Amino acid sequence: METGPKKERKVSLGTVPDFAYQGEGMRLSGVTPGSPAEQAGMKEGDVIVRLNALPIKGLKDLSDVLKTMKAGDKASVVFLREGKEMKVEVEVKER
């Protein structure tokens, strides 16, 4: 089976994944200063569960969705903070 060239992720939300997290979604261990995630008010401990209406079960899902986007695209991010669902709109930036 032949596969095409591996698609590279060109954009970023500026989230820092919590690699120790074992639950559903992608928990943040922080955000990059000045990043779209920081500007949207996201912070350590938030758990991203949907990006552009697509379920995010872990880091790979988040990365796969970001691979389909280009700098300047708007993204709808649904995340959990202390058990409450929150939604923000961000503009992804070049990585």
Side-chain angles (χ1 to χ4, degrees):
M1 185 160 112
E2 208 174 295
T3 58
K6 198 170 181 175
K7 196 163 172 133
E8 232 181 275
R9 184 161 68 88
K10 294 180 169 55
V11 299
S12 171
L13 287 174
T15 54
V16 181
D18 178 349
F19 292 106
Y21 182 66
Q22 297 294 315
E24 285 282 305
M26 191 203 78
R27 186 167 66 192
L28 309 184
S29 68
V31 293
T32 308
S35 68
E38 184 192 58
Q39 291 167 359
M42 297 178 74
K43 61 183 186 178
E44 179 182 351
D46 290 347
V47 179
I48 297 174
V49 292
R50 278 196 305 284
L51 182 62
N52 289 343
L54 298 167
I56 302 299
K57 296 195 183 319
L59 180 58
K60 184 184 181 315
D61 289 345
L62 183 75
S63 183
D64 287 349
V65 175
L66 290 174
K67 285 177 185 175
T68 68
M69 303 178 77
K70 60 187 184 303
D73 283 354
K74 298 261 191 266
S76 171
V77 183
V78 177
F79 62 95
L80 303 175
R81 178 178 291 162
E82 296 168 5
K84 289 193 180 114
E85 193 172 280
M86 303 179 81
K87 183 178 179 180
V88 292
E89 296 290 322
V90 299
E91 185 176 303
V92 296
K93 69 175 192 180
E94 200 164 330
R95 190 168 179 208

